[in-house]
């Protein structure tokens, strides 16, 4: 099964819905210097690392609003990689309208080639990216490829603990006990969903199937190490960044995390 190809079709289908979901053109917000497309803790982490003059990349960049925000924070060069033609075309439009210089490449992350080797000081991966990759070794090997020696990796993702929770739209969700463990932490077969991915407008629609994967922290750490990436820091947060479990935020459950890595 070619999961990337199937997911690409479903993501292309989401594009017009995301466009309708934005209340204001993201280019205008970027022009005004609004940095809120990045989560507060991600922005704080990037500020601490320091972006001034750096070459940065984002894997699974969607319409590029987060990557373009990194340019507003001082990065000097930026490349976004995403499998879709539609979102990367929109990312180019946003860059143009916000007077920012960035390149956007429509490619499966697995297919990023050697011409990008050793180009970046920092790679960013944010919420809703890792889940599309059944083979994390292949995913992190691409990050190790594009980073310069000593370059940084920042991941802000949904916590693997949430592998076990049902979303309100899923069978097994109990509104009386939204925190109960429903699924195996170690689920191996893919999730197959047809409710769409409109996390911008919040609408639900019947979509082409989306295939995603649960990953444990052990799987993530092992794949990082296999790819020559060292874990430098890990923070866990009790708040949701996925729009799937806002009702559990602040109740002591690990819902998201920030991982800092380095190419050794
Ligand atoms: C949840 S979104 C992006 C995350 C980012 N936090 C954002 O909201 O802009 C996930 C993105 O991953 C992209 N994607 C999915 N599978 C991919 C693959 N195999 N290679 C590259 N991009 C992929 C999708 O096209 C989509 O834009």
């Amino acid at each position: 099964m070619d999961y990337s190809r199937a997911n690409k079709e479903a993501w292309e289908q989401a594009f017009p819905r995301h466009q309708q979901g934005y209340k204001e053109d993201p280019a205008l917000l970027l022009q005004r210097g609004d940095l809120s497309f990045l989560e507060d803790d991600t922005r704080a982490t990037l500020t601490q690392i320091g972006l001034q003059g750096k070459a940065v990349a984002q894997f699974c960049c969607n319409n590029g609003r987060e990557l373009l925000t990194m340019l507003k924070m001082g990065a000097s060069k930026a490349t976004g990689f995403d499998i879709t033609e539609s979102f990367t075309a929109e990312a180019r439009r946003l860059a143009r309208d916000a007077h920012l210089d960035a390149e956007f490449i429509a490619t499966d992350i697995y297919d990023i080639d050697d011409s990008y080797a050793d180009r970046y000081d920092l790679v960013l991966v944010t919420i809703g990216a890792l889940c599309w990759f059944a083979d994390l070794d292949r995913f992190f090997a691409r990050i190790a490829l594009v980073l310069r020696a000593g370059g940084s990796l920042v991941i802000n993702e949904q916590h693997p603990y949430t592998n076990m929770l049902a979303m309100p739209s899923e069978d097994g969700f109990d509104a009386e006990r939204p925190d109960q463990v429903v699924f195996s932490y170690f689920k191996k077969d893919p999730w197959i969903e047809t409710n769409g991915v409109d996390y911008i407008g919040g609408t639900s629609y019947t979509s082409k199937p989306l295939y995603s994967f649960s990953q444990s922290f052990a799987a993530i750490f092992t794949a990082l190490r296999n790819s020559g990436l060292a874990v430098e820091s890990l923070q866990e947060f009790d708040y949701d960044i996925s729009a799937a479990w806002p009702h559990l935020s602040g109740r002591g459950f690990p819902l998201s995390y920030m991982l800092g890595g380095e190419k050794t």
Side-chain angles (χ1 to χ4, degrees):
M1 168 87 205
D2 187 343
Y3 295 117
S4 292
R5 198 175 154 152
N7 286 334
K8 176 182 189 306
E9 285 185 24
W11 275 101
E12 300 284 12
Q13 195 185 21
F15 177 70
R17 290 183 164 83
H18 279 218
Q19 288 302 90
Q20 279 164 20
Y22 284 104
K23 295 189 175 61
E24 188 177 4
D25 184 351
L28 294 177
L29 277 103
L30 288 161
Q31 268 183 37
R32 285 207 298 272
D34 187 320
L35 305 178
S36 64
F37 287 127
L38 287 168
E39 295 280 337
D40 290 351
D41 280 311
T42 305
R43 216 164 52 238
T45 300
L46 295 172
T47 301
Q48 198 179 7
I49 293 170
L51 294 183
Q52 206 59 42
K54 299 237 170 109
V56 298
Q58 185 176 10
F59 277 25
C60 301
C61 67
N62 196 259
N63 70 356
R65 63 201 186 286
E66 296 174 329
L67 183 79
L68 295 171
T69 304
M70 287 203 277
L71 285 173
K72 295 299 269 188
M73 291 173 68
S76 62
K77 203 169 163 263
T79 306
F81 299 93
D82 196 280
I83 200 164
T84 54
E85 320 289 335
S86 51
F87 283 106
T88 48
E90 170 66 357
R92 282 179 216 113
R93 200 273 301 166
L94 293 181
R96 206 169 45 245
D97 288 1
H99 313 297
L100 293 166
D101 187 17
E103 66 174 337
F104 290 95
I105 313 295
T107 178
D108 189 342
I109 296 301
Y110 288 152
D111 295 336
I112 294 175
D113 66 37
D114 292 354
S115 65
Y116 293 95
D118 304 320
R119 277 215 211 171
Y120 302 100
D121 301 301
L122 184 142
V123 173
L124 178 67
V125 176
T126 62
I127 179 69
L130 285 185
C131 62
W132 309 111
F133 300 92
D135 188 340
L136 285 182
D137 278 2
R138 263 179 95 187
F139 179 82
F140 286 121
R142 295 296 98 187
I143 292 185
L145 172 80
V146 306
L147 276 178
R148 297 185 176 130
S152 306
L153 166 65
V154 173
I155 304 178
N156 183 213
E157 266 287 4
Q158 186 169 305
H159 198 291
Y161 175 83
T162 61
N163 294 351
M164 300 184 290
L165 303 175
M167 292 187 267
S169 58
E170 280 176 328
D171 286 347
F173 179 78
D174 179 351
E176 303 287 310
R177 288 285 320 278
D179 57 339
Q180 75 181 332
V181 168
V182 178
F183 305 112
S184 166
Y185 179 73
F186 301 102
K187 181 173 162 53
K188 290 275 178 281
D189 53 322
W191 298 97
I192 306 172
E193 288 168 54
T194 53
N195 291 327
V197 274
D198 182 14
Y199 54 90
I200 300 296
T203 64
S204 177
Y205 58 96
T206 303
S207 67
K208 295 185 178 177
L210 288 137
Y211 299 86
S212 61
F213 300 87
S214 282
Q215 285 135 356
S216 66
F217 256 139
I220 295 166
F221 275 56
T222 303
L224 283 164
R225 205 205 56 164
N226 289 347
S227 309
L229 296 163
V231 175
E232 297 293 319
S233 62
L234 179 66
Q235 292 168 272
E236 295 169 292
F237 304 115
D238 72 348
Y239 62 85
D240 177 54
I241 55 171
S242 71
W245 295 283
H247 47 283
L248 295 182
S249 284
R251 290 183 45 191
F253 302 106
L255 299 179
S256 56
Y257 71 93
M258 184 89 60
L259 184 148
E262 188 182 301
K263 179 172 172 181
T264 50

